[in-house]
Amino acid sequence: MEGEQKRKVILSGMQPTGGLHIGHLTGALRNWVEFQSEFECYYTIVDLHAITVRQEPAKLRQWTLDLAATFIAAGINPEQAHIFVQSHVPEHTQLAWVLNCFTGMGECSRMTQFKDKSQKYPENVNVGLFAYPVLMAADILLYQADLIPVGADQKQHLELTRNLAERFNNLYSPTFKVPEPYIPKIGAKIMNLQNPTKKMSKTDEAQLGVLYLTDTPEQIKNKINRAVTDSGSEIKFSDTKPGISNLITLYHIATGKSIEQIEQEFAGRGYGEFKKAVGEALVEFLEPFRNRYKELRAEEGYLFDVLRKGAEQARVVAQKTLRKVYKKIGFVML
Ligand code: TRP
């Protein structure tokens, strides 16, 4: 409609490389759910990015569908937001190739994630891993996205995306919207239960330290019981007590109680009692998600419908941008 303001576009992606943990729910996904009423949202499962490190085919397939079910169980409404798999929209790879030709080798080799990952997997430092941020730029620029919610570790990739957009716009004519990062206010940072000075991560070796969204009540309680705690016996939030502080954070997330309230509630009570309470609170907190997830995951037909529709909608926008790009660089258009 004329005069009507177009809704701003949000785009974000997650890799299907393992089950999501509680930090994803209380961090990224909670924000994604909030955005959907106000913005035009594209949430993509980035399987093309996932293969920059070796993946087992059966697992990759499973994790991709798991992630689709996770998005919906977390509250993303496929009628409101576009949920799709990156490889279902071939324009991502097509634009990535074009952008590769506008990216300097130096720009990619400076990326900290590339340096970290090539150290972690020295036997497989492949060209895809090197060009990973260029594919990410394509994900974003195809949709003329305004805002990109990402963790702080992705900020550098976003800076490259902005540079590429500006470079192309200046060389030809305005083509891409230059996106802004949206780094959420640091909510509660959740640490590995076995190694509370390290962030909880789905690819972590210390599996006992990761609270997966699909863990059973028994697994949750067991992991909390076995969580590494600090010397002393006080339930107090402090830098010198990373283990107990992490459990306090989790209890805060599960119950909504403030840190002070929690410290008061457990004053004079021991770690054992506190852990029991944390485990039970988390079981209750995660229950609705888990039930919804189980239902959805059992309905693959429905998940495929959502992904098919999401990809169709995404393609309309992606094709439009790609055609513009092809035309400007001088490709013959049929
Ligand atoms: N690289 C991002 C990560 O690992 C995932 C991602 C891929 C992404 N494409 C994106 C995030 C586009 C935001 C926008 O977290």
Side-chain angles (χ1 to χ4, degrees):
M1 228 184 295
E2 213 167 338
E4 192 183 281
Q5 274 250 294
K6 256 188 88 185
R7 293 208 297 173
K8 285 204 183 225
V9 175
I10 291 240
L11 180 136
S12 202
M14 256 190 218
Q15 296 197 48
T17 48
L20 297 196
H21 60 69
I22 185 161
H24 292 108
L25 186 65
T26 60
L29 290 174
R30 195 170 49 179
N31 287 321
W32 290 19
V33 170
E34 260 177 47
F35 293 138
Q36 60 185 351
S37 54
E38 196 181 335
F39 302 100
E40 187 79 28
C41 295
Y42 293 87
Y43 296 136
T44 176
I45 300 169
V46 291
D47 52 354
L48 298 165
H49 277 112
I51 63 163
T52 53
V53 303
R54 275 302 151 254
Q55 301 292 341
E56 231 178 85
K59 279 204 176 140
L60 181 58
R61 207 172 290 126
Q62 186 202 316
W63 283 332
T64 302
L65 294 170
D66 288 352
L67 204 48
T70 301
F71 285 2
I72 303 168
I76 294 167
N77 176 357
E79 303 293 325
Q80 252 180 334
H82 312 284
I83 302 175
F84 67 98
V85 175
Q86 188 185 30
S87 69
H88 291 167
V89 181
E91 286 76 12
H92 289 246
T93 3
Q94 293 175 294
L95 181 60
W97 174 258
V98 173
L99 295 177
N100 275 332
C101 302
F102 292 84
T103 310
M105 297 289 285
E107 289 181 295
C108 280
S109 42
R110 270 202 296 281
M111 297 288 135
T112 19
Q113 192 176 325
F114 172 68
K115 290 192 257 182
D116 289 350
K117 285 203 182 171
S118 16
Q119 256 181 13
K120 199 166 163 199
Y121 306 100
E123 71 294 344
N124 185 20
V125 183
N126 61 74
V127 177
L129 189 66
F130 187 70
Y132 176 115
V134 183
L135 177 60
M136 180 163 159
D139 297 341
I140 294 168
L141 299 179
L142 276 176
Y143 301 94
Q144 309 290 350
D146 296 276
L147 280 178
I148 314 298
V150 282
D153 64 324
Q154 296 296 314
K155 221 180 146 189
Q156 205 184 18
H157 292 164
L158 214 71
E159 206 41 56
L160 176 69
T161 304
R162 289 169 54 86
N163 290 340
L164 291 177
E166 277 164 1
R167 186 171 307 159
F168 194 94
N169 290 348
N170 290 335
L171 277 167
Y172 298 91
S173 57
T175 310
F176 297 122
K177 174 71 127 281
V178 182
E180 301 284 340
Y182 178 92
I183 314 263
K185 313 173 249 3
I186 316 188
K189 200 158 149 197
I190 299 174
M191 316 305 273
N192 187 296
L193 297 167
Q194 290 297 315
N195 187 359
T197 51
K198 222 176 130 240
K199 237 176 85 176
M200 194 179 280
S201 155
K202 63 184 170 186
T203 46
D204 227 309
E205 272 120 60
Q207 288 289 302
L208 199 58
V210 184
L211 277 178
Y212 289 102
L213 292 177
T214 51
D215 278 348
T216 62
E218 293 68 41
Q219 284 171 317
I220 295 173
K221 288 188 209 161
N222 181 41
K223 285 178 183 176
I224 297 296
N225 273 336
R226 295 173 65 177
V228 168
T229 42
D230 320 285
S231 55
S233 60
E234 248 192 319
I235 314 298
K236 198 138 191 69
F237 196 96
S238 130
D239 287 347
T240 56
K241 293 175 80 98
I244 282 296
S245 298
N246 193 34
L247 292 179
I248 292 177
T249 301
L250 288 168
Y251 193 65
H252 156 73
I253 285 169
T255 62
K257 292 178 187 169
S258 71
I259 308 292
E260 297 74 47
Q261 276 175 322
I262 298 169
E263 287 175 346
Q264 271 173 23
E265 182 180 343
F266 289 93
R269 293 158 77 182
Y271 285 175
E273 217 178 319
F274 181 53
K275 281 180 163 180
K276 190 156 174 284
V278 177
E280 279 165 11
L282 282 168
V283 167
E284 200 176 318
F285 173 73
L286 288 171
E287 175 116 312
F289 172 88
R290 205 169 82 89
N291 290 340
R292 183 88 184 97
Y293 175 86
K294 274 209 310 221
E295 266 170 42
L296 285 160
R297 196 60 188 81
E299 284 193 59
E300 285 202 352
Y302 171 72
L303 294 177
F304 275 90
D305 285 346
V306 166
L307 295 176
R308 199 172 293 116
K309 205 175 104 212
E312 270 167 22
Q313 294 165 342
R315 269 202 98 173
V316 175
V317 182
Q319 274 174 346
K320 205 169 137 202
T321 303
L322 186 73
R323 274 190 76 81
K324 263 201 225 170
V325 169
Y326 273 13
K327 224 168 161 168
K328 292 194 190 196
I329 53 186
F331 289 172
V332 171
M333 308 301 286
L334 293 175

